[in-house]
Amino acid sequence: MAQLCFVTTCMGRLDNLKRTLGRIVGQPDTSCVVVDYSCPERCGEWVEANHTDVRVVRVPGRTVFNRSRACNAGSRAVKNSPWICFCDCDVLFDRGFAARVLPRLEPGRYYTPQPIREWGLMGTVICARADFERVDGYDEVYEGWGEEDVDLYEAFEFVGVERRSFPSTLLRHFEHGEGSRVRFYENKERHVVQTINRIYRFAKFDLMRETDGPLTLSVREALYATVWEVTKGAIGEGKSLGFAVQVPGSGRMLRYEIRVPGNRRAYRRISRIHSSTIARRLYRFARTKVLRRDLSDLSAMMHHRRLPLGLGLEGPGSANGILDASGHRS
């Protein structure tokens, strides 16, 4: 029985998969699942022809990529391995990855690469299959790019699974342009979608802490729809907007305000800077080479109300943000 199963997904990135899959299947004491998520290049056929020991999962009929659904589909094909490593198909593994990492794995832990020098490594995680099933996997309510991986990590910690790390030097991410990144998403404004997804994640876990348990799918879908509408409205109008969500099973509400600095024209200028490949590379160079800092801090991303594009979120961090059904503070 393989101790670790790699799960990677592909939709329109067969060139990347051809460069990385060989490094995965060559790892000792491991197995591999590739999810062909309606890939227009029919990556599943290539995998079956060139790597007969890899299990292929097909998700047909999709025109928009959803990483959560793709990873969950792959996880269901993991049969016996006690550990799963989720990774994107543009991540290249060191040949000694399994030999270095497998002895580190302990129950009650999940593992992410540290330090993060490349954003593309954020979604690589090793977790126990039992813990993944315990938190019901990735939240499939997320749309577009971003936050589903951090959501999974926060879900682990919500149930008491602790984060540990393995050296990020064992991984390498193949850089690609913004067009490739958002090719199979309906909304091409990546940082707008990431902002929506991050606000949803904050509010979701606020509600989970209030109820001391997971939220139903219908509650999560309603919450996401509310966040999407309000956030798009705030960005579109260039002004701060507030919203409130009811705590399930009670008469209380959690109130939030999305703060938008400046006006829509200023927001558009910031958005163009964020979308610039040159600006992104300069930022990464300054951060990692000059300042010698990681690109991200998972703890800060989980718990600090930081948003892209200069937006801010005021939420129920204290009792002052909790209201009863009539709108009075509780």
Side-chain angles (χ1 to χ4, degrees):
M1 178 183 69
Q3 290 298 305
L4 175 71
C5 182
F6 292 94
V7 173
T8 189
T9 64
C10 183
M11 186 179 192
R13 291 189 177 177
L14 180 56
D15 286 343
N16 287 146
L17 189 65
K18 288 180 176 179
R19 299 171 70 184
T20 60
L21 189 57
R23 288 285 188 93
I24 292 177
V25 299
Q27 301 284 334
D29 206 15
T30 66
S31 59
C32 181
V33 172
V34 172
V35 180
D36 179 340
Y37 199 83
S38 300
C39 179
E41 299 165 315
R42 297 185 292 189
C43 66
E45 295 182 11
W46 177 84
V47 172
E48 290 172 335
N50 293 274
H51 296 280
T52 57
D53 53 344
V54 173
R55 185 177 297 112
V56 175
V57 174
R58 287 180 170 83
V59 181
R62 307 289 183 174
T63 58
V64 176
F65 185 64
N66 185 301
R67 185 171 182 269
S68 293
R69 293 174 184 169
C71 288
N72 285 344
S75 72
R76 291 190 286 271
V78 179
K79 301 302 181 183
N80 299 315
S81 300
W83 294 90
I84 304 177
C85 177
F86 293 99
C87 56
D88 293 335
C89 66
D90 54 8
V91 173
L92 184 69
F93 283 76
D94 186 275
R95 296 185 189 279
F97 177 84
R100 291 276 303 275
V101 171
L102 284 179
R104 295 171 175 253
L105 304 183
E106 299 178 354
R109 309 281 191 269
Y110 75 98
Y111 299 81
T112 61
Q114 292 293 327
I116 295 291
R117 303 296 189 191
E118 302 173 84
W119 288 116
L121 302 182
M122 278 289 298
T124 305
V125 60
I126 300 173
C127 60
R129 182 160 56 96
D131 290 331
F132 184 76
E133 294 171 352
R134 180 182 173 193
V135 300
D136 292 327
Y138 287 89
D139 185 349
E140 297 185 7
V141 170
Y142 284 96
E143 298 178 12
W145 188 92
E147 297 300 308
E148 78 289 330
D149 45 9
V150 183
D151 181 285
L152 178 66
Y153 308 157
E154 194 163 357
F156 284 144
E157 298 191 10
F158 185 83
V159 298
V161 181
E162 298 179 358
R163 174 162 49 94
R164 294 293 185 270
S165 65
F166 58 84
S168 60
T169 53
L170 298 173
L171 307 174
R172 175 190 169 195
H173 176 250
F174 291 125
E175 181 69 22
H176 47 76
E178 189 70 11
S180 173
R181 183 175 284 109
V182 299
R183 177 184 172 190
F184 292 104
Y185 293 132
E186 286 185 333
N187 191 315
K188 309 299 183 183
E189 296 181 285
R190 177 169 64 92
H191 294 288
V192 173
V193 178
Q194 184 185 18
T195 299
I196 293 168
N197 288 351
R198 189 168 295 179
I199 294 173
Y200 163 75
R201 177 172 60 83
F202 289 147
K204 168 188 168 179
F205 282 96
D206 286 341
L207 288 176
M208 288 174 61
R209 283 185 282 270
E210 286 293 313
T211 60
D212 197 29
L215 307 180
T216 64
L217 176 60
S218 61
V219 170
R220 287 184 280 121
E221 288 176 337
L223 175 61
Y224 192 86
T226 297
V227 171
W228 182 281
E229 180 180 358
V230 174
T231 305
K232 288 289 287 185
I235 293 174
E237 297 177 25
K239 64 180 182 180
S240 300
L241 291 175
F243 68 99
V245 294
Q246 184 171 357
V247 178
S250 76
R252 293 182 300 167
M253 306 284 285
L254 302 185
R255 186 179 66 179
Y256 299 85
E257 182 180 11
I258 301 170
R259 292 179 285 102
V260 182
N263 53 34
R264 184 171 175 81
R265 183 176 299 176
Y267 160 77
R268 287 295 183 187
R269 285 198 293 267
I270 297 172
S271 181
R272 282 196 294 271
I273 293 172
H274 274 268
S275 300
S276 166
T277 300
I278 294 176
R280 219 168 40 244
R281 288 177 176 174
L282 287 174
Y283 169 76
R284 185 166 59 244
F285 176 82
R287 184 79 183 232
T288 62
K289 304 298 183 182
V290 179
L291 300 177
R292 300 289 180 182
R293 294 177 181 172
D294 295 348
L295 284 171
S296 63
D297 179 337
L298 270 180
S299 296
M301 290 187 68
M302 288 184 194
H303 306 300
H304 297 173
R305 303 300 167 105
R306 298 176 181 174
L307 299 175
L309 303 175
L311 276 68
L313 179 68
E314 292 183 358
S318 66
N320 292 333
I322 302 177
L323 292 81
D324 61 25
S326 63
H328 296 96
R329 297 186 189 278
S330 60

